[in-house]
Amino acid sequence: MNLIFYISISLNYNYLPKMKRIENQEKETNKTIRTFALASFLNDVGSDIIFPIWPLFVTTALKANMTTLGFLDGIGEALVSLSQALSGYLSDRIKKRKVFIWTGYFLSGLSRVGYSFSTVWTHLIPLKILDRAGKIRSAPRDALVADVSTDENRGKNFGFLRMMDHLGGVCGILICIAFFGILGYRTLFALAAIPSIISAILIFSSIKETKTNKIKVYKGISLKDLDKNFFLFLLSNSFYALGFFSYSFLLIYAKNFGFKITFVPVLYLIFTATASVSSFPFGKISDIIGRKSVLLFSYLLWVTVCFIFVLKPDHPMIILSFILYGAHKGALEPVQKTFVSEIAPKEFRASCLGGFQMVTGLCALPASLIAGMLWESFGIFVPFYFSLIMTTISGIMLLFIKRPIDSIN
């Protein structure tokens, strides 16, 4: 009897501290995810005060043409990709994530103050560079999220963050709609800086990085560290990105087909709200049925949007297309990040996430330029035909990609 008692005490002595550590770790993980979610929400409030009226500001207030709009949007996405690649590499090298995240939010807020003082479209180039340089936060943040997640909840966590991004966008658009007529472009742009500055302060004060006694020397990532599935996924998404133009084209399309200029931000609100509502469910579903299935469905949604636009839709169909466009983004963005974080070596996650965003983002510059030139030279529908072809090629390539935990899902 005494032997059984001592065995029981011994088991409890070893078991309870382990359970306590697991419980504390889960609490810390949840706190990290919630903090990132709140910061993303606030930053996107600021971003989406600007986004609905951005194409109108560039083409109407500053008198730029569609090719210029495509150039500005394209260079912005290209710079996003470069900043993410650099920050991802540096984050892995110095074993730090937090400094890139709060600095990125601060840079985005600073650029919006500059937008409010712009009087010609050339002023927007350095400000766009500063704004998009703020994306140095993304790869380190995504790597940190992937690190604290498991295979069973990684898609859900990325989906939750993307949901909060878009939910912040919804609030930002509502602010834009409510105050645009009263405040105008410039005051709204200055107002949009405030939430991003708050996000920077929140990350700086609330996120704690794990300290380690042993620091592994970072040798740098090489091509041999990556398998063929990563490269094939990168190539597949590059084809998709080359054919995927900025949302600005959809808003200008809607304006040209009879929507009043005051209703254009409402269309962007519909898109963002749908993306917000769908991101978390799609991320969670990908944990169950697999990443590829959700990604292929997202491509199907975008193909449907393109078909609607080339068929010269009426107003209800254009509204439907913005709903489908939002669902496409909700399915695509969180699952892309989840997929990359799983097919990349763990020690190079930030580098791979940043590198992936760099390559696909660099495709965005020619993509938006091509779309703008096709629009100007051959007509409003030609960019959609081009996107249909490139998306189809990307979807076919995606079928041949495998990932390490496919068997789990």
Side-chain angles (χ1 to χ4, degrees), residues 59 84 86 331:
T59 58
Q84 290 195 71
L86 180 60

Side-chain angles (χ1 to χ4, degrees), residues 174-196:
L174 289 173
I175 292 171
C176 177
I177 293 170
F179 294 102
F180 176 48
I182 301 171
L183 301 177
Y185 292 111
R186 302 182 190 285
T187 305
L188 270 181
F189 287 173
L191 181 67
I194 298 172
S196 291

Side-chain angles (χ1 to χ4, degrees), residues 38-107:
L38 180 57
S40 294
F41 170 84
L42 290 170
N43 183 67
D44 274 61
V45 169
S47 297
D48 284 272
I49 289 175
I50 294 176
F51 284 169
I53 54 176
W54 171 259
L56 306 177
F57 177 65
V58 175
T59 58
T60 303
L62 302 186
K63 309 299 182 183
N65 59 25
M66 289 299 296
T67 301
T68 300
L69 177 63
F71 168 73
L72 288 170
D73 286 350
I75 197 173
E77 292 305 314
L79 286 165
V80 165
S81 61
L82 290 172
S83 63
Q84 290 195 71
L86 180 60
S87 66
Y89 172 80
L90 291 175
S91 177
D92 282 338
R93 185 175 181 84
I94 68 175
K95 305 298 180 184
K96 299 290 183 182
R97 313 289 197 204
K98 176 178 169 179
V99 63
F100 298 98
I101 303 170
W102 70 261
T103 301
Y105 285 127
F106 180 76
L107 292 177

